[in-house]
Amino acid sequence: MGYLHIPQLGQVHYHEYGTGSKPLLAFHGYGMTGKQFHVLEQSVLPEYHVYGFDHFFHGGSALKDWSEQQIIQGMPKALVRNYVEEWFKLHSRQRFSVLGYSIGANLALILVEEYADLIDEVILMAPDGLFVYKGFHLLTHKTLGRYLFSTVTKSTWIAPSLLKTLKRVGFIDDSLYKIAWSEMDTEQKRLDVYYTLNLIRLLKPDTQKVAQLINQHNIKCRLIFGRHDNLFPKKEAQPFINMLNNPDVHEVDLGHWLVTADLDKYLVKFKA
């Protein structure tokens, strides 16, 4: 466990675990912390020493001197590089691998853009960033969507009604409804969702560039999808997969809630 003090951002808290020797920089999904991948104790942890970073508005990470307006404008993509540069100061410049689940995959993929010559493996689980998810894009980039997002965040009754309506018309399924409701049932949770999604709104990888770099540097690329995931399904990521020379692609009998003991058992079967 430790902290990175990142210029222009603030304090990033990270968790260390795993019995392996190879460093793995890991980025979790919404509502979790950098400890999320601890459950992969048979498949990932014996091979890697994980550095699991808490996103801002999660765990022990904290922005420093950022106004609400700055947060809503979004974190510049160029600042993602500072995570690794500060990590190098503590652990020396060395080769490493990256892991990203859900929204955390955006950061992992951006690091491939910046450090492809130093990366051994990319592991993506139910990844955001491989295609434009229209729901998030509407809420964080379109004028009407941004207005509605702000209004819903500050209301005590709109969020429940809106989620029920979205479920009823089929825009979201029951599993996504349960996830969304669990993260928006209090004012503080709604604010955390609002700030998190706006902060990362500019953190979108160049997927064509990422694919070219993975191929050029022969980076091992493992992609894992939930067969019942309606948020970031495999079919939407297929154009990216098709650009890779030798992707290791898995589709497991799970939903978006993917990082579980069941996934660990599944991945153990494919260990070299």
Side-chain angles (χ1 to χ4, degrees):
M1 185 170 68
Y3 292 90
L4 300 181
H5 300 282
I6 301 181
Q8 302 178 60
L9 279 175
Q11 177 178 272
V12 173
H13 180 244
Y14 65 88
H15 308 260
E16 290 187 61
Y17 48 96
T19 56
S21 60
K22 297 188 292 186
L24 178 68
L25 308 189
F27 301 90
H28 64 85
Y30 185 82
M32 305 301 292
T33 70
K35 293 173 63 177
Q36 180 175 25
F37 306 105
H38 202 284
V39 70
L40 304 175
E41 57 183 0
Q42 299 179 68
S43 58
V44 173
L45 302 193
E47 181 178 1
Y48 286 105
H49 185 95
V50 178
Y51 297 85
F53 300 98
D54 292 347
H55 293 313
F56 291 109
F57 308 106
H58 294 71
S61 294
L63 286 171
K64 183 179 180 181
D65 301 326
W66 276 56
S67 66
E68 182 175 79
Q69 187 58 39
Q70 284 178 291
I71 294 170
I72 293 170
Q73 287 176 350
M75 169 182 160
K77 182 177 174 180
L79 293 185
V80 176
R81 182 182 177 89
N82 291 356
Y83 278 75
V84 176
E85 291 303 315
E86 293 303 312
W87 183 80
F88 281 156
K89 291 179 181 178
L90 295 178
H91 302 284
S92 78
R93 190 173 185 87
Q94 59 182 295
R95 300 192 65 81
F96 61 95
S97 295
V98 292
L99 165 61
Y101 164 67
S102 193
I103 62 170
N106 290 296
L107 286 86
L109 289 163
I110 290 170
L111 292 183
V112 176
E113 291 185 47
E114 297 289 341
Y115 296 97
D117 60 324
L118 290 176
I119 292 177
D120 291 321
E121 181 175 10
V122 179
I123 306 172
L124 303 175
M125 300 179 173
D128 186 14
L130 299 184
F131 63 94
V132 176
Y133 178 64
K134 293 180 181 178
F136 288 169
H137 187 74
L138 172 66
L139 294 177
T140 59
H141 287 81
K142 300 297 184 180
T143 301
L144 177 60
R146 287 168 66 81
Y147 170 76
L148 290 174
F149 196 12
S150 175
T151 302
V152 167
T153 298
K154 296 168 185 176
S155 169
T156 58
W157 63 271
I158 294 179
S161 299
L162 179 60
L163 287 175
K164 289 176 182 177
T165 299
L166 292 175
K167 179 185 174 184
R168 186 171 62 251
V169 301
F171 189 80
I172 60 175
D173 62 15
D174 187 60
S175 62
L176 290 182
Y177 171 82
K178 290 177 180 178
I179 292 173
W181 174 245
S182 69
E183 298 299 342
M184 297 191 74
D185 58 349
T186 69
E187 180 181 4
Q188 186 58 55
K189 286 183 179 180
R190 289 194 296 275
L191 282 172
D192 287 343
V193 171
Y194 182 66
Y195 290 147
T196 298
L197 293 186
N198 276 291
L199 183 69
I200 67 172
R201 62 190 289 268
L202 304 179
L203 304 186
K204 296 304 174 186
D206 181 337
T207 54
Q208 185 171 0
K209 179 180 179 181
V210 169
Q212 290 174 344
L213 288 168
I214 288 173
N215 292 336
Q216 176 185 344
H217 294 276
N218 295 312
I219 299 171
K220 182 178 179 182
C221 186
R222 194 175 351 170
L223 301 104
I224 304 160
F225 301 90
R227 185 170 293 112
H228 311 292
D229 185 355
N230 292 316
L231 192 60
F232 302 123
K234 175 177 174 283
K235 64 180 180 180
E236 298 289 355
Q238 197 61 53
F240 174 79
I241 295 171
N242 292 342
M243 288 189 283
L244 301 176
N245 289 341
N246 297 294
D248 179 19
V249 183
H250 301 267
E251 191 172 31
V252 299
D253 195 25
L254 295 167
H256 186 66
W257 197 256
L258 194 61
V259 186
T260 65
D262 286 337
L263 178 63
D264 189 40
K265 293 176 184 176
Y266 172 89
L267 293 177
V268 166
K269 301 175 185 177
F270 297 91
K271 287 189 68 175

